Amino acid sequence: MNTLSKIEGALPLPVTVDDILAARTRISGSIVKTPTLISQTFSQMLGCNVYLKFENLQFTAAYKERGALNRLLQLDEAAKAKGVIGASAGNHAQGLAYHGKRLGVPVTIVMPTTTPIVKVTQTQGHGATVVQYGEKFDDAYAHARKLEVEQGLTFIHPFDEPDIIAGQGTVGLEMLEDAPQIDTLIIPIGGGGLFSGIATAARAMKPDIRLIGVQAELYPSMYDFIKGADLACDGDTLAEGIAVKQPGELTRRFVERLADDVLLVTERRLEEAVSLLLQIEKTVVEGAGAAGLAALLSYREQFAGRNVGLILTGGNIDTRLLANVLLRDLARSGRLARLRIILQDRPGALFHVARIFDQEAVNILELSHQRIFTNLPAKGLSLDVECETRDGAHLQRLITALGAAGYEVAPIEVA
C-alpha cells in the first residue's frame, strides 16, 4: 500500500449509514421501492439462493435516479435557478433530467457519441439539453466540466459525490430489509458509486456480509486499483454503463475499505446474462445491469450454497442491440445455426440437401449460394444454410446426417 492509500485508509469514509437513512427519507415517495425476489430457476441452476433487486423497474429504468434526486433536493435556490450539468452514458442523465424537470431545475447532460440512441432520446424526452461529445465517458466528463465553468452551472457527478453515494445506498437498505438472509452481495462497479453506497449500508446492517464488486473485463479500472494491476482499459463493451476508465477519488476509498473482492467478467458472459434474464425472469436488463449475474455464472464455485443478492441496475438497452444479443445466444446454444455445405453444381443438388433437412425436421430460414468467390473447382459451389433447430443435440444430428450422405459440412461459429 502506498503512502496516499495509507492516509486515505486512516480517514473516516465521507458517507455513513445515517446519511443513507436520511437520503431514504428525503427521496421517499418519489422513487419506486423496487422488489427483491428470489429466483427459483437461477437458484437451482447455480447452486445458491439467488435474490434479484429489480432496479430496472424505476421510472427511468435504473437505480441512478436515487442519487440524482438526493443531490438535487439539497441544492440552494440560486443553484436550482441557474441549473445543473452532468456527464453520463445514460442512466445518470435520465435520473437528473426526470427529477430536474419535476423540481423545475434546468438540466444539461453531456453524453458520449457512442451512447445508445434509446438513452439519448429518453434523456431529451425528460426535458434535458443533451450535448454529445467524445467516444468515452471520460471525454464527455471533461467537456461537461468545461461547460460548468463557462455557463456557471452546478456539476453533479454520476458517482463521486457523497450525496450521490448516499442516494444509491438506499438500494442496500431495501434489499437487506426485504431479504435479511442475504449473506453475499455482487455489485456492478463502473465509477463505484453504487458499490460505495450499498456496501456502507450493508456493512452497518450486517457486518459479516460478503461484498463483491464486478467489472467488465474491458474496463477493469477499479480492479486495477484494488489489485495493483495494469490491465488495458478500453474497448466496445455491452456494459457501457460501467465503462469507466478512472475510478472515483472518493469511491475507490469505499471499495478498498469494504470490498472482499473485485471480479472481472467477459463480454460473452455479459451477453449470456442479459439473455438468461429475459428468458428466465422475463425482464429486460442492460449489459451493466446483468454484470452481477455474469459474475455468478463465471465464478459459481465461489458462491455455492450462499444467499446471493444481485442488483439489476438498469434496463435501458438499445432494442437492436438486444436483438443481436438474443440471436447470438441462440446461435451459441445450437438453436440457430449457419452451415456451409459443399455441393456439386448440378440440377437437383439443392433438392437432395433440402430433403435431409426435412427428414431431420430442421427449419431452413435462409439460403446463400457462392459460385464465384470461392477456391472450389469450377463445378463446385458452397451453400450457406441458416437454420433453426431445437437444441445443440438436434443440430449435431443434422450435421451427422449430412455427413453420412456424403456432404462436406462446416458450422460457421459465433465468437
Side-chain angles (χ1 to χ4, degrees):
M1 182 181 291
N2 60 36
T3 302
L4 178 60
S5 294
K6 289 180 180 178
I7 293 172
E8 290 178 341
L11 295 173
L13 293 173
V15 177
T16 68
V17 69
D18 288 335
D19 296 320
I20 298 170
L21 289 166
R24 175 163 67 175
T25 299
R26 198 175 290 120
I27 68 177
S28 178
S30 300
I31 297 291
V32 177
K33 185 181 184 297
T34 58
T36 300
L37 304 173
I38 191 167
S39 171
Q40 299 290 351
T41 303
F42 280 134
S43 297
Q44 293 171 10
M45 178 191 303
L46 297 169
C48 58
N49 295 316
V50 180
Y51 295 84
L52 303 175
K53 174 70 165 167
F54 288 84
E55 281 297 288
N56 57 332
L57 298 181
Q58 291 292 346
F59 180 77
T60 62
Y63 77 93
K64 284 279 192 176
E65 62 180 85
R66 294 172 179 265
L69 178 57
N70 189 49
R71 180 73 171 90
L72 285 168
L73 288 171
Q74 296 179 81
L75 293 172
D76 61 35
E77 293 305 315
K80 288 179 182 177
K82 190 70 175 178
V84 301
I85 188 168
S88 171
N91 290 333
H92 177 62
Q94 291 180 68
L96 268 184
Y98 171 59
H99 289 290
K101 184 177 181 180
R102 279 199 322 106
L103 299 171
V105 179
V107 175
T108 299
I109 299 293
V110 184
M111 308 179 87
T113 58
T114 53
T115 302
I117 190 64
V118 64
K119 294 186 178 182
V120 177
T121 55
Q122 287 175 351
T123 302
Q124 292 171 327
H126 293 312
T129 299
V130 173
V131 177
Q132 289 196 264
Y133 185 90
E135 291 193 359
K136 305 297 181 187
F137 167 79
D138 300 86
D139 302 323
Y141 174 83
H143 191 62
R145 298 314 297 248
K146 179 182 176 184
L147 295 179
E148 169 198 7
V149 175
E150 292 176 353
Q151 300 179 19
L153 304 173
T154 298
F155 184 81
I156 297 185
H157 203 286
F159 51 81
D160 212 29
E161 293 185 15
D163 291 338
I164 295 292
I165 291 169
Q168 319 307 26
T170 60
V171 174
L173 292 179
E174 292 176 9
M175 286 189 78
L176 291 179
E177 287 172 352
D178 290 347
Q181 61 271 44
I182 290 174
D183 58 34
T184 303
L185 289 170
I186 305 178
I187 308 165
I189 295 178
L194 181 66
F195 184 96
S196 299
I198 290 180
T200 299
R203 279 275 187 257
M205 298 173 73
K206 201 166 186 176
D208 61 345
I209 196 167
R210 191 171 177 219
L211 300 170
I212 307 296
V214 56
Q215 292 201 289
E217 190 175 65
L218 292 177
Y219 285 86
S221 55
M222 191 70 79
Y223 177 94
D224 279 356
F225 172 74
I226 295 298
K227 304 282 189 176
D230 189 27
L231 301 176
C233 194
D234 199 10
D236 194 9
T237 178
L238 179 64
E240 78 281 339
I242 54 174
V244 178
K245 286 190 173 183
Q246 292 293 333
E249 294 295 322
L250 290 181
T251 58
R252 67 181 185 178
R253 291 168 53 192
F254 285 88
V255 178
E256 186 174 46
R257 189 90 59 90
L258 301 175
D260 291 294
D261 202 359
V262 177
L263 306 174
L264 300 179
V265 291
T266 65
E267 292 301 301
R268 183 162 180 170
R269 282 299 194 196
L270 287 166
E271 290 183 29
E272 182 184 2
V274 167
S275 181
L276 284 172
L277 283 162
L278 186 57
Q279 293 177 55
I280 293 173
E281 294 299 327
K282 315 306 179 195
T283 192
V284 175
V285 177
E286 62 193 79
L293 179 59
L296 198 49
L297 291 166
S298 301
Y299 305 93
R300 61 182 69 189
E301 68 284 350
Q302 294 188 25
F303 305 102
R306 302 187 72 91
N307 297 313
V308 182
L310 307 178
I311 304 96
L312 308 184
T313 57
N316 292 307
I317 187 170
D318 181 81
T319 50
R320 182 182 59 81
L321 179 60
L322 177 60
N324 287 344
V325 168
L326 296 176
L327 289 172
R328 285 162 63 90
D329 187 66
L330 287 174
R332 290 183 181 126
S333 67
R335 293 171 60 193
L336 192 67
R338 177 170 289 177
L339 303 179
R340 181 157 294 165
I341 306 170
I342 307 304
L343 305 177
Q344 289 183 311
D345 192 5
R346 62 177 59 176
L350 180 57
F351 168 78
H352 291 299
V353 168
R355 188 172 58 184
I356 296 172
F357 278 77
D358 177 58
Q359 290 170 354
E360 297 298 326
V362 173
N363 187 31
I364 295 175
L365 302 176
E366 188 174 312
L367 297 172
S368 175
H369 290 81
Q370 184 53 257
R371 290 179 171 86
I372 307 302
F373 298 98
T374 176
N375 58 4
L376 293 172
K379 291 186 177 181
L381 66 85
S382 66
L383 173 69
D384 285 359
V385 183
E386 188 174 311
C387 60
E388 185 178 24
T389 61
R390 290 189 294 274
D391 52 31
H394 189 199
L395 174 61
Q396 190 54 52
R397 287 196 297 273
L398 170 66
I399 293 173
T400 300
L402 288 166
Y407 294 105
E408 183 182 337
V409 186
I412 299 175
E413 303 287 347
V414 176

